[in-house]
Structure formats: C-alpha cells, structure tokens
Amino acid sequence: MPLHPTLPRSSHEIERKFLVRQLPDDMERHPSRKIEQGYLVVKRDGTQVRLRRAGITCSLTLKRGRGVARREWEIEITPAQFDVLWPATLGRRLGKTRYDVPFGTLTIEIDIYEGRNAGIVVAEVEFESEEQCHSFEPPDWLGRDVSEKPRYSNIKLATE
C-alpha cells in the first residue's frame, strides 16, 4: 500500500503542559474531538513515532527531543493506513477527548483522558517562540506546570 502523497510537515514544536485545576465553565461550547493515539517507536533519547486518529483525520508523527521545544514531522495518512498500522501499537495506546479553548491569541488544548488514565486532565499550549512560551501567564483555572514531568507525558500515559 503506497504512502499518502502528502509531504511531511516539519516544525519546531514549543509547548507547555499544565494540570487543570478546574475546567472552564463554558467547556462544552468549545470544539472537541475524540483522539486515539498509539506509539510505534519509543526511544530513550526522546524519539517517538506516533499514530493518531482525531475525529476523521489520521496522522503519523515523528518527534525528536525533550522538554518544551522539540522537532516534529507529521504526515496525514488514510484511515485504511491507520488501521493497518494500529495493531503494532498494542500496549502503547491512550484515548482522550480534546477541547480547544481560546485564550487571547492562543489556544489551550484540554485533554480529558479515558480508560486507565481516567481522572487525568491536562492542558497544552503551543507557542510561536520560546520567549512567548516563557512569558506565558496561565489562567487561574490551570494548575501546576508539568511540562518537564515525565509522569504526564503522553508516552508514559500510553505505556504505564
């Protein structure tokens, strides 16, 4: 089966992750989608290859590095390609619902985990620059910054 003809998007991902102290009152008004995520490759150096189905969109993503700034390459794949690769992620999967909450010029992505991770709620914020990242003042409903805490990384949640 040939790969989808879309060229990979490359980016320098800069993001912070927070525990959510309290969900925003108007949470249900914001766009949301179910996400199934599994890992094909996980290396100690921070390299990971991830499969994701978010609504009807499927993707294959390579991430490299650790911390708030990492390299990322992503290609869109077909649902059929996702289904062929999905069994290879057995034992390294998670499910969550993601809400996109606007906050000034940014979007706060709130992830409410399911299954064995039920009860965990985190928020991720992506930034244009490291300066913007470090100067970010989170809203009161966000809790502790866990960007550097492996316990709350998707890879840990998918494998433990």
Side-chain angles (χ1 to χ4, degrees):
M1 174 182 289
L3 286 176
H4 193 277
T6 304
L7 293 174
R9 284 185 328 193
S10 175
S11 67
H12 190 79
E13 177 187 65
I14 304 168
E15 71 179 13
R16 286 173 61 191
K17 184 179 282 194
F18 299 86
L19 294 179
V20 175
R21 179 177 297 132
Q22 178 181 352
L23 293 173
D25 293 334
D26 60 351
M27 182 82 160
E28 296 303 320
R29 285 190 24 229
H30 300 295
S32 68
R33 63 209 165 278
K34 293 277 189 187
I35 294 176
E36 295 175 274
Q37 191 164 298
Y39 292 86
L40 295 166
V41 175
V42 178
K43 293 178 135 185
R44 289 188 181 147
D45 68 359
T47 300
Q48 49 186 259
V49 179
R50 174 189 78 200
L51 270 181
R52 177 184 278 175
R53 182 183 346 238
I56 60 169
T57 303
C58 299
S59 61
L60 178 71
T61 305
L62 166 65
K63 290 188 178 196
R64 279 219 168 114
R66 297 179 193 270
V68 297
R70 301 184 295 174
R71 294 285 299 161
E72 178 179 277
W73 296 265
E74 183 172 278
I75 59 171
E76 190 171 325
I77 61 175
T78 67
Q81 290 169 323
F82 178 93
D83 291 340
V84 166
L85 294 170
W86 187 245
T89 67
L90 188 62
R92 295 179 310 278
R93 296 178 182 165
L94 58 83
K96 58 188 176 182
T97 300
R98 172 168 285 172
Y99 291 84
D100 298 324
V101 179
F103 184 72
T105 60
L106 301 170
T107 298
I108 298 176
E109 297 174 333
I110 297 176
D111 290 340
I112 300 176
Y113 289 88
E114 303 162 357
R116 69 177 177 252
N117 296 308
I120 297 174
V121 182
V122 300
E124 294 181 356
V125 185
E126 288 197 25
F127 302 96
E128 296 289 323
S129 69
E130 290 193 42
E131 180 183 337
Q132 183 187 33
C133 174
H134 296 297
S135 65
F136 177 68
E137 292 291 331
D140 291 342
W141 48 267
L142 286 183
R144 183 169 51 115
D145 185 330
V146 293
S147 303
E148 302 288 340
K149 304 286 184 201
R151 164 72 184 101
Y152 296 101
S153 71
N154 281 314
I155 197 67
K156 284 283 190 194
L157 295 174
T159 57
E160 291 184 353

